[in-house]
Amino acid sequence: MASMTQPDSLPGGELTARNLLQQTHGRVTPARVGVLGILLNANAALSHQEIEQTALRQGLSADRVTLYRALDWLVEQGLAHKIAGADRTWRYNAQAGIPHQHAHFHCKQCEQVFCLENLQPTLLFGLPDGYQIDEVELNLQGSCPDCRNRNAS
Amino acid sequence: MASMTQPDSLPGGELTARNLLQQTHGRVTPARVGVLGILLNANAALSHQEIEQTALRQGLSADRVTLYRALDWLVEQGLAHKIAGADRTWRYNAQAGIPHQHAHFHCKQCEQVFCLENLQPTLLFGLPDGYQIDEVELNLQGSCPDCRNRNAS
DNA sequence: AACTAAATGCAATACAGTTGCAAAATATTG
DNA sequence: CAATATTTTGCAACTGTATTGCATTTAGTT
């Protein structure tokens, strides 16, 4: 708590991360603050690798395993969620206010994964009898806005 | 081609597999015939492990790597397709007449994955601007008919 | 039967993720 | 504020799926 001059404007959403963490029953550690900050600040779902690299770039050095554990813990606490990508790696994101049921968009050009909110539950028809559906996961692939603009040079 | 007494009724769809393979430009090998037969005969998408075990049970002994390569090749030829599961394993299936765009149903009880055809392209609304969608992947989770019946003892 | 290109088997490797345990750090208590 | 109890971290070793290199074998052809 040294020198809180600027109330709420740290790079990486450090403060927000701290606040969120203090509302849990777990310990507020550098790894957790760092990871959650990175996730909050990202506009796409990040892989473990991407998180590790971003952390390093920010001067936060943490062991691979620690990151995995911090991520799992964040998911447990409901502060982040985990997406199974088509490349068989997990991706994590912590965008607030995203409902449980939403779609993921995988850009084939930049390989980033975005969470699409406001994508209302899809209307299905022709569903075979006898299947009881508990969860719906909708994955889209294509080009994200940035890449489309980049192409339309 | 020894003794073709029964025209078209082998266990495992061996003949169908052979026929399909002969229409490709590749070689018809025991591994490919066996794997494709297994896939054709299955009513769910199979993991590499399940395929290996089934193969062994049928007396077809092939190296793990050979199975992987046979599967990849079948996918290349369009005779099978590959699903990325949430458990980071690939699953393969070869059900004929399934359109490119269809849904996968993962049963949480028996852990099997079924391909749902006839599940018409979903109607989306609220899709953010700027995203160009090339592929739609719809994954459902819940209980399959068999498991539901089993529960309703 | 001989030949050639393709497929196989084996060993080694890559890579994401997990586990066990001692050392360090956090939060709590006196 | 120091002692303490508990959680978290780092390191090393380990899973398990999938891939690669290369010598050997095999399918299809001439």
Side-chain angles (χ1 to χ4, degrees):
Chain A
M1 262 182 224
S3 76
M4 287 179 64
T5 37
Q6 295 156 346
D8 208 4
S9 59
L10 287 189
E14 272 250 341
L15 254 181
T16 317
R18 278 216 138 73
N19 287 342
L20 287 169
L21 288 172
Q22 270 154 5
Q23 283 164 33
T24 71
H25 286 195
R27 291 187 178 172
V28 180
T29 67
R32 288 175 180 173
V33 175
V35 169
L36 185 51
I38 289 169
L39 291 184
L40 285 169
N41 215 40
N43 64 334
L46 303 181
S47 67
H48 174 270
Q49 226 184 41
E50 291 167 329
I51 293 166
E52 189 173 18
Q53 286 165 0
T54 309
L56 271 176
R57 231 179 293 125
Q58 295 185 1
L60 166 63
S61 84
D63 191 72
R64 276 166 14 84
V65 180
T66 302
L67 293 183
Y68 274 116
R69 288 196 268 229
L71 287 165
D72 283 348
W73 183 84
L74 288 172
V75 171
E76 257 175 44
Q77 301 294 315
L79 291 174
H81 75 132
K82 214 180 183 180
I83 314 168
D87 55 354
R88 294 185 313 294
T89 65
W90 294 112
R91 286 169 188 275
Y92 302 82
N93 101 339
Q95 285 157 271
I98 290 213
H100 295 105
Q101 186 173 310
H102 65 275
H104 297 134
F105 184 91
H106 178 97
C107 177
K108 282 185 176 176
Q109 291 177 54
C110 62
E111 293 286 314
Q112 284 192 292
V113 175
F114 304 91
C115 292
L116 301 183
E117 36 191 336
N118 298 330
L119 199 54
Q120 290 299 335
T122 61
L123 293 181
L124 311 177
F125 45 101
L127 182 66
D129 283 344
Y131 288 91
Q132 178 192 316
I133 294 182
D134 297 336
E135 279 180 54
V136 176
E137 194 191 312
L138 183 61
N139 293 320
L140 309 174
Q141 295 195 21
S143 308
C144 72
D146 283 357
C147 286
R148 292 194 68 192
N149 286 336
R150 202 172 305 125
N151 292 344
S153 51
Chain B
M1 260 178 229
S3 75
M4 286 179 67
T5 39
Q6 295 157 346
D8 206 6
S9 59
L10 287 190
E14 272 247 341
L15 254 180
T16 318
R18 277 215 139 74
N19 288 341
L20 287 169
L21 289 172
Q22 270 155 6
Q23 285 166 31
T24 70
H25 285 196
R27 294 186 177 174
V28 180
T29 68
R32 288 176 181 174
V33 175
V35 169
L36 184 51
I38 289 169
L39 292 183
L40 286 170
N41 214 39
N43 64 336
L46 301 181
S47 67
H48 174 271
Q49 228 184 43
E50 292 167 327
I51 293 166
E52 189 174 19
Q53 286 165 359
T54 308
L56 271 176
R57 231 179 292 125
Q58 295 185 359
L60 166 64
S61 84
D63 192 72
R64 278 163 22 81
V65 179
T66 302
L67 293 182
Y68 274 116
R69 287 196 268 229
L71 287 165
D72 283 348
W73 182 84
L74 289 172
V75 171
E76 257 176 42
Q77 300 296 314
L79 291 174
H81 76 133
K82 213 181 184 180
I83 314 168
D87 55 354
R88 289 184 314 295
T89 65
W90 295 112
R91 287 170 187 273
Y92 303 82
N93 99 340
Q95 286 158 270
I98 289 214
H100 295 104
Q101 188 173 307
H102 66 275
H104 298 136
F105 184 92
H106 178 97
C107 177
K108 283 185 174 176
Q109 292 177 53
C110 63
E111 293 285 314
Q112 284 192 293
V113 175
F114 304 91
C115 293
L116 301 183
E117 36 192 335
N118 298 330
L119 199 54
Q120 289 298 337
T122 58
L123 294 180
L124 310 177
F125 45 102
L127 184 68
D129 283 345
Y131 288 89
Q132 178 192 316
I133 294 181
D134 296 337
E135 278 180 56
V136 176
E137 193 190 313
L138 183 60
N139 294 321
L140 309 174
Q141 295 194 23
S143 309
C144 71
D146 283 358
C147 286
R148 291 193 69 193
N149 286 335
R150 202 171 305 127
N151 292 343
S153 48

